[in-house]
Amino acid sequence: MTVSTIDDHQWDQLCGAAPEAGFFHRPEWRAVQGAAMQRFGVLDKKGEVLAAFQLVRSERNGITLWSHPPFTQHCAFLADIRSNNTAKRNGDIKRLHSAVAEFLSGLDGVVTVGFPPEVVDMQPYIWAKCKVVPAYTYRIDLGVGMEAVRANYATETRNVIKKALTDGVEVLPATRTEVLPLIEATFDRKAKALDHAKVDRILSAWLGPASGFAFQTRYRERTVAVAFCGFDAHRAYYLLGGHDKTTGHAGAGALALDRCIREATERGIPQFDLE
């Protein structure tokens, strides 16, 4: 097996045939990330793409950095494993990851790559002397219904949501122009760098009936919190949010997120991923 760059057509072919392909495999990410994003395939001897993933190369202080694309959970690793035999299937997966581990180890600079939560066997990377560090995301099962989901909120969260509603905080759908300023203000408050153009492209690409939704909470005629989610058939992802804590309401952020979870439940999406 070899690893080399693949074009967007090859990427789309692999993802289109895979039922597990989801939000981070969508072709729209090309427009969001631009030419900085490179897609790589694990190829067999015939040149057939058996697996694929995507990385971004950047420079900082003269150091080359490789990572999964910004604003995504992971490198969107996806494999076409056709064997139904458990032992052969596990062996095939291990060989694919061994090829990827060897490739990543040979890249110049600093490499930091996240893999999908479904990738749990990291032994090939340990064998390749990579440093393997667990990362976490939190997923809520929405099949139990909204009331059961809310029952599992922390008591403090339920209380601030209740107080927000009592104090007259409203929850309304939000547009891109309403979401973006609060995200920018939140990053500025935390003194964190933000690629404003890329966030704008994400909202432009995904904030629509078939791919994403956003809600704002308003208090005293001001938007004080926003939450934006993208979704696929498997789950909704809380991607971006903002909260004006100086003149807002303590429960505004929790209320916006609660409304997103309810929206995902009403759409029949199985899980909510808190990213």
Side-chain angles (χ1 to χ4, degrees):
M1 295 180 182
T2 59
V3 176
S4 66
T5 55
I6 59 174
D7 59 32
D8 291 344
H9 176 68
Q10 290 171 295
W11 174 270
D12 293 340
Q13 274 192 317
L14 179 70
C15 295
E20 65 271 27
F23 185 73
F24 298 112
H25 299 95
R26 296 278 291 272
E28 288 91 339
W29 283 107
R30 166 57 70 207
V32 169
Q33 302 292 350
M37 186 173 72
Q38 299 182 45
R39 286 168 165 163
F40 297 91
V42 183
L43 313 180
D44 64 12
K45 293 179 180 179
K46 297 179 181 178
E48 183 179 355
V49 180
L50 304 178
F53 56 97
Q54 48 197 16
L55 301 175
V56 165
R57 183 183 184 277
S58 60
E59 298 279 341
R60 185 180 301 167
N61 299 326
I63 299 173
T64 299
L65 305 176
W66 291 91
S67 67
H68 52 277
F71 302 103
T72 67
Q73 280 186 335
H74 46 70
C75 68
F77 178 87
L78 188 67
D80 180 15
I81 306 296
R82 300 176 183 178
S83 175
N84 293 320
N85 179 278
T86 301
K88 187 177 186 311
R89 187 178 183 86
N90 289 340
D92 289 344
I93 291 172
K94 209 144 207 145
R95 281 187 286 275
L96 287 172
H97 281 287
S98 293
V100 175
E102 182 181 356
F103 170 76
L104 295 178
S105 297
L107 290 174
D108 58 313
V110 179
V111 182
T112 306
V113 181
F115 283 84
E118 292 75 23
V119 177
V120 294
D121 183 359
M122 302 304 291
Q123 195 174 45
Y125 299 92
I126 297 172
W127 287 342
K129 308 300 182 184
C130 300
K131 183 179 180 180
V132 176
V133 180
Y136 298 89
T137 189
Y138 294 87
R139 290 175 174 175
I140 300 172
D141 179 12
L142 303 182
V144 297
M146 194 61 199
E147 291 309 309
V149 169
R150 284 177 174 147
N152 286 319
Y153 287 175
T155 302
E156 180 184 354
T157 301
R158 290 199 301 270
N159 288 341
V160 296
I161 289 174
K162 183 178 179 180
K163 187 175 190 310
L165 293 170
T166 301
D167 291 347
V169 178
E170 295 181 284
V171 188
L172 301 167
T175 64
R176 179 179 63 84
T177 56
E178 291 163 333
V179 171
L180 189 58
L182 266 183
I183 293 172
E184 292 174 336
T186 299
F187 273 75
D188 289 344
R189 187 181 73 244
K190 295 182 177 181
K192 291 189 174 182
L194 178 69
D195 188 328
H196 298 254
K198 194 164 290 183
V199 171
D200 193 25
R201 289 198 295 270
I202 288 173
L203 294 172
S204 297
W206 303 112
L207 186 47
S211 54
F213 49 81
F215 290 94
Q216 60 177 311
T217 45
R218 293 183 61 82
Y219 182 55
R220 294 176 179 171
E221 300 184 354
R222 290 190 59 180
T223 298
V224 294
V226 293
F228 163 71
C229 298
F231 67 88
D232 56 34
H234 310 290
R235 56 192 62 91
Y237 298 89
Y238 174 41
L239 286 182
L240 295 164
H243 191 180
D244 181 355
K245 295 194 174 185
T246 57
T247 60
H249 190 287
L255 185 58
L257 191 53
D258 173 79
R259 182 62 183 87
C260 286
I261 295 171
R262 193 183 104 195
E263 180 71 17
T265 304
E266 291 173 351
R267 288 173 181 258
I269 299 171
Q271 289 184 331
F272 190 90
D273 192 314
L274 287 164
E275 272 268 277

